Amino acid sequence: MKLGVFVYRLYRVLTYGVSPLINLHIRWRRLRGLEPCRRWPERFGHPSAVRPPGSLVWFHAVSLGEGMAAIPVIRHCNERRPDLTILMTTTTVSAFEVIKDQLPVGVLHQFAPLDTPVAIDRFLGHWKPNAIIIMENELWPNLIMAASGLLIPLAMLNARMSTKSFKRWSSPLLLPLVSLLLSKFSLIAPLSTLQGIHFQLLHAPPFVINYSGDLKYVVNKFNASSGTSESIRDLKVELSEMKVWIASSLHRGEEEVILGVHNMLLESHPDSVVIIVPRHPHHGQQIAHKLRKDGQSVALRSQNEKLTSRKTNIYVVDTLGELRELYSVAPIAVIGGSFIPGLTGHNLSEAAAAGCAVITGCHVGHFSHMVKAMQQSNPLSVTQVSTKLELKEAVDLLLSNPEILETQQRASKEVYESLSSCIITNIWNLLNLHIFRGK
């Protein structure tokens, strides 16, 4: 532990010393539109809102996926403990743009402070949280040590660590530091038993590790009551006479795989349409531009373009926050982030919750536990492929056989319902026991 304290002090001195450079970097990112235009001072701990009186719980999520996983817990907390003020922080602008419309009334939002001593001390000094709940894997030393010094309970929900991060934290230099940081947590709820083992190997106290299920399964339960937008209903009408499949959460380069498969499928299914949903809207615009340059007809969602002719069989989505609704348009969902080596997969449960037949590639990283759990429940709930040809054959099989398609749709929906039950209740009980007791 002494070595861990020594390494932390080095980190603190380093982050203090490079703070002016970080300041310049944030200003540069702001000019590029990667930081909030007016609220960027929040990244340095400057508040843009007044702290209400009473107890306050701080939920922190980096990006959209973690933020959406936090919202069901925030809503449950809001219902069960209306006396608590809830503050949520996110790091990315894109996460805020979607999450701001999902947060319950009364929940405050700030952009997360950088992990520099001054920013963290300023943030904690203003907000004075009574508990801090971190989503997934944000092990920021200055934040964790400052909170511990102020006796603020810390929890990590849906805790996970990629193979790369695990190897890095396991190095002789960083293992003492991560052991010190993990010792400060009152609760670590890993998203799988394998992840729980990872945290134990990094010397997290065994008594704080409690498995409760993967919160990403319940994102869709939270959204289940949301209505379908008029534009999605119109899109369904447009596509009603066509064979539709969707390729979602695509990383750069994966569109080549999807478009190659689509072109092969058109030979046997000339009435098929593919909906392409990249992770970032700008990437969608680039895909559409390139396809049009090559002479292909494309409909772009942000421009409200219609599939006006049989020649238009590619629909590119360059908007944020609509994926859940778009899954209701297509009976077949191909989940991206899994077709190029080095990628780590994406959440399958959103498509399963919508009743899609789910297909994914083989590069699924920390989502491998989700693929395994679903396949163990019912092998028909997820189809995993390794090559472009296998993907083509998998989609072709479903487009050609309505009975098989219906069977796989039903399997994915039933498995989702099974795996998502009781997760929020389990999380709430753990938070009550380890974090909120006495608050």
Side-chain angles (χ1 to χ4, degrees), residues 167-189:
K167 288 180 179 177
R168 183 172 66 247
W169 282 116
S170 299
S171 67
L173 177 64
L174 295 181
L175 182 58
L177 174 60
V178 75
S179 300
L180 173 67
L181 299 179
L182 294 176
S183 72
K184 306 302 180 183
F185 281 83
S186 300
L187 171 65
I188 296 174

Side-chain angles (χ1 to χ4, degrees), residues 380-391:
L380 297 177
S381 63
V382 181
T383 300
Q384 196 165 20
V385 299
S386 300
T387 65
K388 184 192 291 189
L389 181 59
E390 286 184 10
L391 176 58

Side-chain angles (χ1 to χ4, degrees), residues 174-250:
L174 295 181
L175 182 58
L177 174 60
V178 75
S179 300
L180 173 67
L181 299 179
L182 294 176
S183 72
K184 306 302 180 183
F185 281 83
S186 300
L187 171 65
I188 296 174
L191 60 74
S192 68
T193 51
L194 176 61
Q195 289 293 338
I197 293 170
H198 281 170
F199 283 100
Q200 286 196 43
L201 292 173
L202 294 175
H203 302 169
F207 58 86
V208 306
I209 299 175
N210 294 269
Y211 178 69
S212 60
D214 187 346
L215 278 169
K216 290 194 173 176
Y217 282 119
V218 297
V219 169
N220 303 283
K221 281 187 175 293
F222 169 74
N223 283 317
S225 60
S226 302
T228 302
S229 68
E230 184 177 350
S231 64
I232 293 292
R233 289 195 294 269
D234 291 344
L235 182 60
K236 283 184 178 181
V237 172
E238 282 187 74
L239 296 170
S240 60
E241 301 298 322
M242 303 176 188
K243 295 180 177 179
V244 187
W245 60 291
I246 184 171
S248 63
S249 303
L250 299 183

Side-chain angles (χ1 to χ4, degrees), residues 153 268 275 362 428:
S268 52
I275 301 175
C362 59
W428 177 251

Side-chain angles (χ1 to χ4, degrees), residues 345-388:
H346 282 289
N347 190 2
L348 312 179
S349 70
E350 293 176 303
C356 296
V358 180
I359 303 172
T360 185
C362 59
H363 305 286
V364 291
H366 55 258
F367 282 95
S368 59
H369 77 281
M370 186 177 284
V371 174
K372 185 177 180 180
M374 292 179 71
Q375 288 181 334
Q376 284 179 338
S377 295
N378 188 333
L380 297 177
S381 63
V382 181
T383 300
Q384 196 165 20
V385 299
S386 300
T387 65
K388 184 192 291 189

Side-chain angles (χ1 to χ4, degrees), residues 8 90 140 167 271 280 294:
Y8 167 65
T90 55
W140 292 110
K167 288 180 179 177
D271 57 343
H280 302 293
D294 293 339

